[in-house]
Amino acid sequence: MTSIRKWQVGESLPEVTLAPVSRLDLIKYAGASGDYNPIHTIDEEAKKAGLPGIIAHGMWTMGNLAKLFTPYYEEGFVQDYFVRFQSMVFLNDVITLKATVKEKDKKAIRFAVAAVNQHGKEVVKGEAVFALYE
């Protein structure tokens, strides 16, 4: 695997494609996060809220974006991270995670990050700063 230090501005880390979103993923996330809002797990409640079906927790998608950096944790850590939620994620959506180098110096690399659904629509986008160990 290539060191994260070798990536240059404009280059992208290898994309990560998640398995289709399942109800079990969202039930597990609800338990782990304490977010039991029923629009994430119960079809009838999501429909009562005006949604076409249950939607993934935004933080579930955001948290998954960190998987892009897992192979590089021996070299540093995610120091700063922020996103904007662009669109909803539904059951069976296939989400692809992306990160492109925006800026770089000896101490950190700033990435543009995004989660994109199977239709090519960005559902989450933002930035992550990966601090490098000295």
Side-chain angles (χ1 to χ4, degrees):
M1 174 184 330
T2 304
S3 166
I4 199 165
R5 295 170 191 272
K6 296 193 186 247
W7 297 99
Q8 299 300 315
V9 172
E11 293 183 321
S12 297
L13 296 179
E15 294 179 356
V16 173
T17 300
L18 304 175
V21 178
S22 73
R23 186 178 307 269
L24 185 57
D25 290 333
L26 303 182
I27 290 169
K28 287 179 180 180
Y29 186 81
S33 69
D35 181 350
Y36 295 103
N37 186 326
I39 66 170
H40 301 303
T41 55
I42 302 170
D43 295 308
E44 296 78 22
E45 294 298 318
K47 287 181 178 151
K48 276 197 248 178
L51 299 166
I54 65 173
I55 60 171
H57 306 73
M59 296 301 286
W60 177 87
T61 309
M62 181 182 178
N64 272 298
L65 273 167
K67 291 179 179 180
L68 289 161
F69 302 100
T70 302
Y72 309 104
Y73 284 140
E74 289 183 8
E75 298 181 63
F77 59 96
V78 177
Q79 180 180 45
D80 194 13
Y81 185 29
F82 69 91
V83 301
R84 291 186 62 92
F85 301 106
Q86 305 291 108
S87 188
M88 291 180 268
V89 174
F90 297 96
L91 283 183
N92 300 311
D93 277 357
V94 176
I95 304 299
T96 299
L97 312 172
K98 302 178 179 198
T100 302
V101 179
K102 284 183 68 172
E103 297 173 12
K104 177 178 179 181
D105 63 33
K106 292 184 188 225
K107 294 184 178 186
I109 305 170
R110 180 177 300 275
F111 290 88
V113 295
V116 179
N117 71 15
Q118 69 274 15
H119 304 294
K121 184 172 188 171
E122 283 186 343
V123 294
V124 171
K125 74 178 192 174
E127 291 188 2
V129 175
F130 191 85
L132 299 165
Y133 297 134
E134 296 191 30

